[in-house]
Amino acid sequence: MGEYPNIADHGLIGDLQTAALVSTDGTIDWFCSPRFDSPSIFGSLLDADQGGFCRVRPTADDYVTRQLYLPNTAILVTRFMTEAGVGEVVDFMPIAGHEATDRHRIARMIRVVRGTMTFEGVIEPRFDYGRAAHTIEPVQGHGVRFTAGDQSLTVHRVGGMIVHGTERAGHVELVDGGIRITGTLNAGEITGVVMETGGADPAQVSPDELRAMFAETRAFWREWNSRSTYRGRWREMVARSAMTLKLMTYAPTGALVAAPTAGLPEQVGGERNWDYRYTWIRDASFSVYALLGLGYTEEAEAFVAWLMDRVKESVGTGSGPLKIMYRVDGSSDLVEESLEHLAGYRGSLPVRIGNGAADQMQLDIYGEAMDSIHLADSHGLQLPHVGWTQISSMLDWVCDNWDQPEEGVWETRGGQQKFTFGRFMCWIALDRGIRLAQEHGRPAPIVRWREQRDAIYEQVMTTGWHEERQAFVQHQDTDVLDASLLVMPLMGFIAPRDPMWLSTLAAMDTELVSDSLVYRYNPSASPDGLRGSEGTFTLCSFWYVDALARSGFLDEAQLTFEKMLTYANHLGLYAEEIGLTGEQLGNFPQAFSHLSLINAAVNLDYQLDHGSGFVDPVLTSGRRTR
């Protein structure tokens, strides 16, 4: 088995239709095309020997490497330092635009800023997760094209051959289904490659053309970043999280993927290895609050439009009118399969693509969807008549089905239960629907909606409450705590200083919280149908910050938030989970982690300035007047 970098040892680049991971040693070890959810071309992160990669690094072994983003951009700089010189690999993807395309480019600019350095570049694509054989077509002096069926990757060479005295500074050879390029650069010299999908012919790219791509990409990100209205205490981390969410948004539809990767384990060597390259109703709905909190109204509007299309289609069957997740284009074919030929990240098997949880019943998604629609409406993004009739029909379904057993927010595979979180989120769905109807005078069976909303409230307050534990619990047939309930005061279901809530928070402090890190639940006490354990959930840790602040513990909330910032990787990125020794676990980077960081930062800022508790005015400055 080959070597695998730590999950945290990566940066993310992208063009708003797909993305790539770049490790700290200059290796692109994950890249899918033409979309986030397409088969991989580089996938050595899941199989170091068969997955395919593009690596650029010094030929010397005694280098030190550092990685950073060009400020206010998604352009990644990997620096290599030796006594003889300092070299850099600058990685970026020119923005693909809002029209879906097969053409995607990864630019790798190689330059030396001090002294002299000899680089080696190796490009070995493996199409279709390493399942498709490819051919190689070299074009003298211009580059090479790799082809596998209707998929291709063209490597364009940057500039002419650099000559030092009478010696050429580069050499190209074919190796093991790929190419190797070596070259020596002096300070001030630039070379590199531009890799392009979509069947382009190899061509020579001049250094000026490469610089123009760089400048255009830099300008895009700086302009986008400048639109943020956030002026709080944690600008750098919030800005990086916002750009990370943008990198994970599919521009043609506005859909946000949960993560750009598949198969990265929640426990190294374990079986909790899921494909997160899809759009969850839950995750993306929570992003609306984050986007509006930063002033990104257009992005929030694009997602709500995507969401309303899913409501209109109502392709769910027994699981309800909505599926819990979709592909970025809105299609819902997510058949789960295992890639048996791949070794898995550090032996973590199986490697899954697709997602079998897509057909689960998870009642909470209706609450998250309706909360985001109501929030968007408060910013002037009102529903048309047809949209309202579709929402009404969906809420009627919620009235008929909110008391059904379900798989729950954590997508457990251990059997359906009547989860407390799902019920209280159905309360949110009906509550937000009632508000929309009353605020706009829309026709609706409000009496029925209110009766069912109140019935849900009574059930949560009785069967969701465990008298002996003095806490709200995961479901009515257990005494297990569940960190998803941290959002009960955040979404207005219970007052943040209600004694029932404060005792629940105290119980979570004792059982689920390890310093600043929060477990979502105890799987040994509540079996979820899977072997092994998992790390703490970054999402839940930032929810915990928000819950502490609203409940009157501002000092503890700020300290917990600051501690959580230390768990980010060197670029400010988070995976889904964090191990007890600080390692990143699960798919990377994770949208849920970054949107919850933004929400916690925005809300905590407001409360530190105005006092604990009420934070609705946070979004007032971004609202449009009607």
Side-chain angles (χ1 to χ4, degrees):
M1 182 189 303
E3 295 183 358
Y4 293 84
N6 294 327
I7 292 172
D9 291 343
H10 290 89
L12 181 71
I13 60 173
D15 66 1
L16 310 189
Q17 294 192 20
T18 187
L21 291 187
V22 185
S23 72
T24 53
D25 75 346
T27 300
I28 297 176
D29 54 15
W30 185 254
F31 171 60
C32 300
S33 185
R35 302 189 320 207
F36 296 104
D37 55 357
S38 299
S40 64
I41 294 176
F42 299 133
S44 61
L45 192 58
L46 296 181
D47 192 313
D49 299 320
Q50 300 183 70
F53 61 90
C54 174
R55 181 180 65 232
V56 177
R57 65 187 182 191
T59 56
D61 294 329
D62 58 345
Y63 60 84
V64 174
T65 181
R66 295 289 186 269
Q67 203 171 54
L68 72 154
Y69 279 111
L70 193 71
N72 302 317
T73 77
I75 296 173
L76 189 64
V77 182
T78 306
R79 290 167 53 82
F80 299 99
M81 292 165 277
T82 68
E83 290 186 1
V86 176
E88 296 179 340
V89 179
V90 181
D91 287 308
F92 61 94
M93 295 182 68
I95 303 304
H98 285 82
E99 297 296 327
T101 179
D102 291 338
R103 185 191 181 203
H104 301 280
R105 293 172 292 167
I106 299 176
R108 311 206 75 183
M109 179 191 296
I110 305 167
R111 62 192 183 190
V112 170
V113 297
R114 177 181 65 80
T116 300
M117 184 168 290
T118 301
F119 287 92
E120 176 189 73
V122 179
I123 304 173
E124 294 187 12
R126 297 292 185 267
F127 295 88
D128 190 24
Y129 307 108
R131 295 182 293 193
H134 64 267
T135 59
I136 306 175
E137 178 188 354
V139 176
Q140 184 66 35
H142 290 77
V144 62
R145 179 165 52 208
F146 303 93
T147 304
D150 60 356
Q151 296 294 307
S152 69
L153 180 71
T154 301
V155 180
H156 306 295
R157 181 176 163 188
V158 173
M161 185 67 65
I162 296 174
V163 178
H164 296 148
T166 59
E167 296 184 5
R168 299 194 321 173
H171 176 68
V172 181
E173 60 181 320
L174 299 180
V175 291
D176 192 25
I179 59 172
R180 176 185 291 124
I181 308 169
T182 56
T184 301
L185 300 180
N186 293 327
E189 294 178 334
I190 292 177
T191 186
V193 296
V194 176
M195 296 179 289
E196 181 177 0
T197 62
D201 292 327
Q204 189 175 102
V205 176
S206 72
D208 286 344
E209 289 178 289
L210 182 61
R211 291 188 185 98
M213 288 183 206
F214 171 85
E216 185 177 357
T217 305
R218 179 182 59 190
F220 171 87
W221 285 108
R222 287 184 173 174
E223 189 281 329
W224 188 85
N225 189 59
S226 71
R227 289 166 44 202
S228 173
T229 58
Y230 179 75
R231 300 294 182 267
R233 294 165 174 80
W234 299 285
R235 292 188 193 181
E236 186 174 350
M237 288 298 292
V238 168
R240 182 53 54 199
S241 288
M243 282 186 280
T244 303
L245 293 179
K246 183 68 170 175
L247 282 168
M248 290 190 280
T249 301
Y250 185 65
T253 64
L256 173 75
V257 296
T261 59
L264 292 180
E266 297 174 15
Q267 178 187 34
V268 174
E271 68 170 331
R272 301 168 186 263
N273 319 313
W274 312 109
D275 188 348
Y276 275 12
R277 298 170 299 157
Y278 310 114
T279 300
W280 269 251
I281 294 293
R282 176 185 309 112
D283 302 37
S285 293
F286 276 124
S287 74
V288 173
Y289 189 97
L291 292 167
L292 291 177
L294 301 182
Y296 290 113
T297 307
E298 292 179 9
E299 285 77 5
E301 184 174 10
F303 169 71
V304 171
W306 180 92
L307 174 60
M308 288 306 304
D309 285 341
R310 307 291 80 75
V311 174
K312 178 180 179 180
E313 292 167 355
S314 296
V315 297
T317 53
S319 61
L322 290 178
K323 286 183 175 288
I324 69 166
M325 71 182 87
Y326 299 82
R327 294 187 181 273
V328 291
D329 63 355
S331 60
S332 56
D333 177 17
L334 279 76
V335 175
E336 186 174 302
E337 62 177 302
S338 297
L339 300 178
E340 304 291 347
H341 65 289
L342 295 182
Y345 177 83
R346 295 183 179 175
S348 302
L349 293 173
V351 175
R352 296 182 177 93
I353 58 172
N355 201 306
D359 292 321
Q360 288 186 354
M361 177 183 283
Q362 297 178 19
L363 292 170
D364 66 283
I365 64 173
Y366 299 97
E368 288 125 2
M370 285 303 302
D371 190 60
S372 68
I373 291 168
H374 179 258
L375 185 60
D377 175 84
S378 73
H379 281 64
L381 309 178
Q382 295 185 25
L383 291 171
H385 170 71
V386 173
W388 174 250
T389 61
Q390 294 157 351
I391 289 294
S392 297
S393 177
M394 183 179 76
L395 292 178
D396 286 339
W397 182 91
V398 172
C399 286
D400 292 334
N401 291 276
W402 65 263
D403 201 27
Q404 297 292 321
E406 49 152 343
E407 278 82 7
V409 60
W410 305 128
E411 299 176 3
T412 58
R413 302 193 179 193
Q416 294 184 331
Q417 299 288 347
K418 293 189 175 184
F419 288 104
T420 304
F421 182 78
R423 271 132 193 80
F424 114 70
M425 289 302 294
C426 285
W427 182 92
I428 295 292
L430 294 171
D431 178 74
R432 301 313 189 253
I434 292 168
R435 293 189 192 194
L436 283 172
Q438 293 176 330
E439 288 167 4
H440 297 294
R442 296 284 176 85
I446 290 181
V447 172
R448 182 184 186 225
W449 291 358
R450 185 181 291 119
E451 288 175 348
Q452 293 304 308
R453 182 195 64 179
D454 294 349
I456 297 170
Y457 182 88
E458 293 297 334
Q459 185 183 105
V460 171
M461 287 299 185
T462 53
T463 63
W465 172 259
H466 196 282
E467 189 65 29
E468 183 177 339
R469 298 220 60 182
Q470 286 293 289
F472 292 102
V473 291
Q474 191 175 69
H475 58 81
Q476 63 187 38
D477 296 322
T478 187
D479 63 355
V480 172
L481 301 177
D482 192 317
S484 67
L485 301 181
L486 285 165
V487 302
M488 292 174 74
L490 278 55
M491 302 193 77
F493 182 83
I494 191 170
R497 301 199 190 194
D498 187 305
M500 295 176 74
W501 171 251
L502 292 176
S503 64
T504 300
L505 186 59
M508 290 186 184
D509 285 339
T510 301
E511 186 168 308
L512 298 182
V513 180
S514 176
D515 196 13
S516 64
L517 303 175
V518 180
Y519 289 96
R520 54 182 183 168
Y521 60 91
N522 181 354
S524 63
S526 179
D528 57 11
L530 298 166
R531 299 187 304 274
S533 61
E534 61 187 19
T536 60
F537 259 59
T538 300
L539 163 72
C540 297
S541 299
F542 286 120
W543 279 348
Y544 177 62
V545 169
D546 209 340
L548 282 173
R550 296 187 194 221
S551 300
F553 305 105
L554 270 176
D555 288 343
E556 292 89 336
Q558 184 172 11
L559 178 59
T560 300
F561 186 77
E562 294 286 359
K563 286 181 178 179
M564 282 302 301
L565 297 185
T566 70
Y567 287 106
N569 83 340
H570 58 290
L571 298 168
L573 305 183
Y574 292 86
E576 181 180 32
E577 301 182 18
I578 298 171
L580 288 179
T581 57
E583 68 275 19
Q584 303 276 354
L585 297 170
N587 285 301
F588 180 89
Q590 180 81 3
F592 238 159
S593 300
H594 288 278
L595 66 89
S596 61
L597 182 155
I598 293 170
N599 292 342
V602 170
N603 292 340
L604 185 55
D605 263 318
Y606 185 85
Q607 292 173 99
L608 288 170
D609 292 338
H610 298 88
S612 181
F614 183 62
V615 298
D616 281 358
V618 164
L619 297 184
T620 301
S621 62
R623 289 178 180 166
R624 299 173 179 170
T625 57
R626 293 191 178 96

